[in-house]
Amino acid sequence: YGVVSMDALSSDLLNWDSLYLAGRMHKPTLTLRRDPLMRISKQVNLTHAVRAALLMLPRNFSARELFETVAELSFMGDFRMRVGGENPRKVGNIVAAQLPLFKARYGSIIEGLPNLEYIGPDLLQQDMGPPARAAMLRKLPNNLYDRLVRQGRKHGLRLPPGLGAEAVNTERLVQVDNIRHMTRKAIEGIVAWPALTQSAKGILSSGLTKTITYMYAKNKKFRDAR
């Protein structure tokens, strides 16, 4: 269980401050109390997730591949995925068990994006043209966009600072061959520290004995899945 302020939740949904809350809400969730601001923030967060996933997907892909990429976002950079603290098939299992809910949750978003369309019963195609990709990148959460710019500079791109440079920066970024890798690294940079600190807080709140028991069970799932 956890308690968070509405302001902190809305900020993470809109800006991806940590993806700790926003990432969990990329998956199907149950809303107990309706709130107009939260409804909008949740929809923006889901649209952010699809756009980020599209940067890491090829021209043609299945709806399930899209949902698995979306579901994986909050696990990118999580150290538990690297040290055997999570089932390596967790993302696939999440989507397989809730595929109809994912389709219902993201159906209107898929239909509403101008650069994405169905070309078959379960096959999607995205517009890979630089103008469409750049326009999509400009609508990403601020934190992810800023980290992508830093990734681009690390790869030698000349990306000027300031809000007025967004058009130039996004057009240059989307034409880089390894934009998929850069997007993944940018998301890992958002997720890594919150995942580590929250795990440390879990030890403090649950106690060492319960934490060891919990981690042993998680590691067993990791070993059984290999």
Side-chain angles (χ1 to χ4, degrees):
Y1 296 93
V3 178
V4 64
S5 71
M6 295 287 278
D7 286 346
L9 175 57
S10 181
S11 181
D12 197 35
L13 293 174
L14 297 176
N15 303 312
W16 285 13
D17 301 325
S18 67
L19 264 176
Y20 192 77
L21 301 168
R24 279 155 179 74
M25 294 182 72
H26 291 158
K27 293 84 170 173
T29 55
L30 176 64
T31 300
L32 299 178
R33 180 180 176 184
R34 302 288 178 181
D35 179 87
L37 173 61
M38 202 50 54
R39 182 180 62 82
I40 295 171
S41 299
K42 284 164 56 178
Q43 195 70 4
V44 170
N45 177 47
L46 298 181
T47 307
H48 283 335
V50 172
R51 287 178 174 137
L54 290 178
L55 287 173
M56 294 182 283
L57 287 166
R59 179 180 178 84
N60 298 332
F61 49 88
S62 68
R64 182 163 179 167
E65 286 177 298
L66 172 63
F67 301 145
E68 288 184 351
T69 305
V70 164
E72 188 187 5
L73 295 175
S74 62
F75 295 106
M76 295 178 183
D78 190 334
F79 75 98
R80 292 171 298 181
M81 299 297 289
R82 301 174 183 173
V83 299
E86 287 287 1
N87 183 344
R89 299 177 185 170
K90 184 168 186 174
V91 171
N93 291 342
I94 289 172
V95 175
Q98 303 180 87
L99 189 56
L101 293 176
F102 272 94
K103 288 182 177 179
R105 193 171 181 81
Y106 287 95
S108 61
I109 294 172
I110 292 171
E111 292 175 2
L113 289 176
N115 59 321
L116 184 61
E117 63 178 346
Y118 276 101
I119 56 172
D122 193 46
L123 187 63
L124 289 157
Q125 184 177 89
Q126 64 168 315
D127 186 344
M128 297 295 284
R133 301 269 281 175
M136 181 178 71
L137 201 155
R138 285 194 291 273
K139 295 177 182 177
L140 292 176
N142 292 336
N143 193 18
L144 178 55
Y145 169 77
D146 291 342
R147 289 174 182 270
L148 269 172
V149 169
R150 290 201 288 272
Q151 284 291 322
R153 288 173 180 153
K154 285 182 181 179
H155 285 77
L157 292 180
R158 296 182 61 185
L159 303 175
L163 294 176
E166 284 186 352
V168 173
N169 289 348
T170 53
E171 288 172 6
R172 291 177 181 175
L173 279 167
V174 297
Q175 295 187 65
V176 176
D177 290 336
N178 60 346
I179 184 64
R180 178 177 182 175
H181 173 75
M182 289 165 55
T183 303
R184 189 178 187 92
K185 293 295 291 185
I187 294 172
E188 287 177 357
I190 297 173
V191 172
W193 180 246
L196 181 61
T197 56
Q198 291 297 330
S199 295
K201 291 175 183 177
I203 296 173
L204 293 174
S205 61
S206 301
L208 186 59
T209 302
K210 286 185 177 180
T211 300
I212 291 174
T213 303
Y214 175 77
M215 290 305 297
Y216 177 79
K218 286 285 190 178
N219 186 257
K220 185 176 185 303
K221 287 185 178 180
F222 174 82
R223 287 183 277 110
D224 291 346
R226 294 178 68 180

